[in-house]
């Protein structure tokens, strides 16, 4: 008799317990999150297979619903209003017979502008700095950082040979305790957007120091490049340099989360193969955009000068990688580059002037994404080269206010003749031109500017944005043996 009763109880539990399955959401759908304004933002998760899931935003009380698949997965698109908040997002799971099982309420939700911040250590470098490597004015910045309208989400470092569905992290408001450990470049970017736009801003920090660009790309994207077809089986000196493993663990789970765009600071680890960086970088941008389903703006920092020979003799001059980044900025659509030729440090690869990096990225977004008039976002760029006797004339664009050098005459130009040997040269600025000559090169055929690992850029537009290192020649990349 007892066995029959026990069997009956167990049978009833088998029926009831599945109905008690809780709604499961990825970590980034939580209290204090920021949703992209004026968009159809995807929200997804897990529920009981076959259950009806209803999602409601408190800004208008309207609901969207869907039915959970056989594996319990579900996804809806929730229309968001203009910037504001705080609001709540309510998620109701119904059983197959429309019996309510659970209601989940996400509180303190803001509607605003959301940006993904990716890259390697110069994006990862926190406002408090690294050990023995400070961020300029960090103590003051941290002390003055409290802002409930700026929300931060840090993706915990992770890697995987297979795509994952979730990351580890949580949303929190900007304050000294959270800002000190958040990306300095990302923070200065977000702080300027907050000040200029006056709307809530959400930043997702998704970076890992010492990583190559291939680690942030999918297996499918890398399959187009020889040598990466079997990416999961390739191992470098660390997991974070293995192709696609960071994409799998740190980008793939976020795909679809409503973002306005992305900012990026990476390239140092790829400096030995600058020829490959241009197609790889373009592909990564197009891959991310394809997976999100729209061509969001993508703004990035050019790597700053640094004397790589301090630790080991550089095999390839890092100016070639800066050149690759310049090419991407000129050739890809809806991108922009922050030049940092005046922000490098001789003895560390991590410049302390992160405010320059973040704010120059913000100029790009404010001018190009948000259409704020009066902002200069792009550095002057060389557009043509003319030989006039013993002088090379370099013509520039993006310099309506003309060129400028704090040294009056810029000092980082070199000239070469047919022998391809470069010699120091004198340079004179004339409005939108630089006239370059050298007594050692009576018949110049090529000119270069600031084309070395370490250099302090001294050519600017009048508005203060530095000119990237560049060269007029297309001679093969030189490698030290």
């Amino acid at each position: 008799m007892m066995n029959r009763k026990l069997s009956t109880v167990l049978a009833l539990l088998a029926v009831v317990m599945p109905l008690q399955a809780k709604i499961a959401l990825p970590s980034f759908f939580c209290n204090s999150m920021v949703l992209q304004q004026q968009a159809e933002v995807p929200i997804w998760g897990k529920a009981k297979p076959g259950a009806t899931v209803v999602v409601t935003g408190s800004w208008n009380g309207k609901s969207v619903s869907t039915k959970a698949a056989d594996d319990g997965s579900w996804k809806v698109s929730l229309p968001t209003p203009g910037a504001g908040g705080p609001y709540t997002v309510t998620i109701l799971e119904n059983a197959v017979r429309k019996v309510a099982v659970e209601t989940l309420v996400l509180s303190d939700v803001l509607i605003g502008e959301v940006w993904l911040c990716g890259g390697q250590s110069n994006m990862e470098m926190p406002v408090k700095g690294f050990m023995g490597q400070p961020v300029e004015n960090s103590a003051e910045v941290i002390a003055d950082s409290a802002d409930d309208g700026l929300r931060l989400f840090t993706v915990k470092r992770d890697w995987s040979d297979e795509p994952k569905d979730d990351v580890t992290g949580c949303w929190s408001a900007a304050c000294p305790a959270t800002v000190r450990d958040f990306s300095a470049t990302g923070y200065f970017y977000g702080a300027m957007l907050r000040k200029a736009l006056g709307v809530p801003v959400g930043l997702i920090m998704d970076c890992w120091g010492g990583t190559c660009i291939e680690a942030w790309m999918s297996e499918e994207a890398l399959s187009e490049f020889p040598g990466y077809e079997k990416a999961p089986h390739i191992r470098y000196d660390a997991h974070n340099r293995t192709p696609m493993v960071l994409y799998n663990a740190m980008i793939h789970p976020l795909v679809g989360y409503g973002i306005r765009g992305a900012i990026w600071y990476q390239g140092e680890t790829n400096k030995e193969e600058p020829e490959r960086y241009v197609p790889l970088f373009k592909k990564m941008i197009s891959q991310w955009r394809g997976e999100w389903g729209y061509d969001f703006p993508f703004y990035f920092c050019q790597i700053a000068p640094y004397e790589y020979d301090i630790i080991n003799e550089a095999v390839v001059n890092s100016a070639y990688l800066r050149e690759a980044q310049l090419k991407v900025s000129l050739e890809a659509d809806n991108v922009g580059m922050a030049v940092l030729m005046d922000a490098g440090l001789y003895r560390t690869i991590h410049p302390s002037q992160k405010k320059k990096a973040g704010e120059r990225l913000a100029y790009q977004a404010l001018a190009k994404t948000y259409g704020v008039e009066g902002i200069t976002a792009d550095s002057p760029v060389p557009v043509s080269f003319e030989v006039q006797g013993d002088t090379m004339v370099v013509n520039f664009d993006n310099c309506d206010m003309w060129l400028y050098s704090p040294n009056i005459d810029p000092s980082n130009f070199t000239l070469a003749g047919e022998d391809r040997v470069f010699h120091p040269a004198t340079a004179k600025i004339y409005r939108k031109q630089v006239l370059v000559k050298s007594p050692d090169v009576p018949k110049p055929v090529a000119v270069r500017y600031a084309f070395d690992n370490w250099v302090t850029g001294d050519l600017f537009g009048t508005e203060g944005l530095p000119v990237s290192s560049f060269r007029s020649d297309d001679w093969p990349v030189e490698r030290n043996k």
Side-chain angles (χ1 to χ4, degrees):
M1 188 68 175
M2 290 296 295
N3 288 341
R4 181 179 296 177
K5 288 183 178 180
L6 180 60
S7 298
T8 301
V9 170
L10 291 175
L12 289 172
L13 286 174
V15 173
V16 173
M17 289 184 69
L19 297 180
Q20 304 305 314
K22 292 185 177 181
I23 299 168
L25 300 174
S27 60
F28 35 84
F29 294 123
C30 63
N31 295 336
S32 302
M33 66 180 175
V34 182
L35 296 178
Q36 178 59 42
Q37 67 169 324
Q38 298 175 316
E40 297 280 337
V41 297
I43 296 179
W44 64 90
K46 290 277 191 176
K48 175 180 168 53
T52 297
V53 178
V54 180
V55 182
T56 308
S58 68
W59 47 86
N60 61 10
K62 294 182 178 180
S63 301
V64 291
S65 62
T66 189
K67 185 176 180 180
D70 291 344
D71 63 354
S73 62
W74 58 267
K75 186 175 186 179
V76 298
S77 292
L78 185 66
T80 57
Y87 298 110
T88 59
V89 174
T90 301
I91 304 172
L92 171 66
E93 177 193 308
N94 290 337
V96 177
R97 295 179 181 178
K98 308 298 183 183
V99 178
V101 172
E102 182 187 13
T103 299
L104 178 63
V105 179
L106 305 180
S107 62
D108 191 31
V109 175
L110 297 183
I111 307 294
E113 293 296 301
V114 183
W115 288 83
L116 179 66
C117 313
Q120 58 181 108
S121 59
N122 269 306
M123 181 62 82
E124 187 178 37
M125 188 178 193
V127 177
K128 68 182 180 184
F130 287 141
M131 294 291 189
Q133 301 176 68
V135 167
E136 197 171 82
N137 299 322
S138 64
E140 178 183 354
V141 171
I142 291 168
D144 192 36
S145 63
D147 182 359
D148 189 57
L150 178 60
R151 303 287 175 88
L152 313 174
F153 185 99
T154 298
V155 176
K156 184 179 179 180
R157 288 178 171 187
D158 193 13
W159 66 274
S160 175
D161 282 336
E162 300 295 332
K164 288 192 170 185
D165 294 326
D166 199 3
V167 297
T168 300
C170 65
W171 285 98
S172 58
C175 66
T178 58
V179 166
R180 66 178 281 106
D181 292 310
F182 194 77
S183 162
T185 298
Y187 171 75
F188 287 119
Y189 176 80
M192 176 160 277
L193 293 190
R194 279 281 294 142
K195 182 178 180 180
L197 301 176
V199 302
V201 171
L203 303 174
I204 301 172
M205 175 177 155
D206 201 342
C207 39
W208 190 336
T211 54
C212 57
I213 195 169
E214 296 92 331
W216 299 99
M217 300 171 65
S218 69
E219 181 177 17
E220 181 181 0
L222 287 169
S223 68
E224 298 181 12
F225 298 88
Y228 295 118
E229 293 86 347
K230 297 181 179 180
H233 306 293
I234 299 174
R235 286 287 181 266
Y236 289 87
D237 61 339
H239 290 310
N240 65 355
R241 295 191 183 186
T242 302
M244 85 180 194
V245 298
L246 302 189
Y247 163 80
N248 285 341
M250 299 175 69
I251 296 295
H252 181 268
L254 291 165
V255 169
Y257 190 91
I259 60 172
R260 174 66 72 188
I263 59 173
W264 177 258
Y265 194 163
Q266 189 275 338
E268 294 89 348
T269 301
N270 288 93
K271 73 179 182 63
E272 301 300 339
E273 292 187 305
E275 307 98 324
R276 297 178 67 90
Y277 197 78
V278 173
L280 282 168
F281 195 10
K282 286 182 178 179
K283 184 60 183 180
M284 189 199 80
I285 295 171
S286 66
Q287 176 217 321
W288 286 16
R289 287 173 171 171
E291 293 181 346
W292 257 269
Y294 53 100
D295 292 335
F296 55 75
F298 193 104
Y299 303 126
F300 62 94
C301 286
Q302 186 182 55
I303 62 171
Y306 161 64
E307 185 48 83
Y308 287 87
D309 288 344
I310 289 177
I311 300 176
N312 295 302
E313 184 177 6
V315 175
V316 177
N317 177 359
S318 61
Y320 288 110
L321 195 282
R322 295 198 298 269
E323 177 186 56
Q325 293 174 314
L326 177 61
K327 288 180 179 178
V328 173
S329 74
L330 298 174
E331 296 172 4
D333 294 329
N334 201 13
V335 302
M337 183 176 74
V339 178
L340 301 175
M341 293 299 296
D342 59 335
L345 288 174
Y346 180 83
R347 293 188 175 276
T348 175
I349 201 170
H350 302 121
S352 62
Q353 298 183 67
K354 286 295 185 283
K355 188 174 183 181
K356 283 185 176 179
E359 292 190 347
R360 286 175 183 172
L361 289 171
Y363 300 156
Q364 293 285 333
L366 291 172
K368 298 177 181 179
T369 299
Y370 299 109
V372 179
E373 295 182 0
I375 293 177
T376 298
D378 291 317
S379 291
V381 60
V383 291
S384 66
F385 307 90
E386 306 171 26
V387 177
Q388 298 180 3
D390 64 350
T391 302
M392 180 72 78
V393 179
V394 186
N395 299 294
F396 287 81
D397 198 1
N398 297 339
C399 54
D400 291 342
M401 294 291 291
W402 302 352
L403 298 166
Y404 158 80
S405 174
N407 301 323
I408 301 178
D409 297 327
S411 60
N412 292 309
F413 280 89
T414 58
L415 281 179
E418 292 290 350
D419 61 0
R420 299 190 177 187
V421 177
F422 282 89
H423 298 271
T426 59
K428 299 288 184 181
I429 295 173
Y430 180 72
R431 297 184 178 180
K432 299 182 181 182
Q433 296 179 323
V434 178
L435 285 59
V436 188
K437 62 192 306 183
S438 171
D440 298 314
V441 188
K443 295 182 179 181
V445 299
V447 62
R448 293 182 176 183
Y449 165 71
F451 213 79
D452 207 345
N453 282 315
W454 165 248
V455 64
T456 300
D458 62 353
L459 182 61
F460 298 78
T462 299
E463 286 113 319
L465 297 181
V467 174
S468 167
S469 51
F470 65 84
R471 59 176 178 149
S472 65
D473 63 273
D474 59 358
W475 300 336
V477 173
E478 298 168 0
R479 286 178 163 79
N480 297 327
K481 297 181 180 179

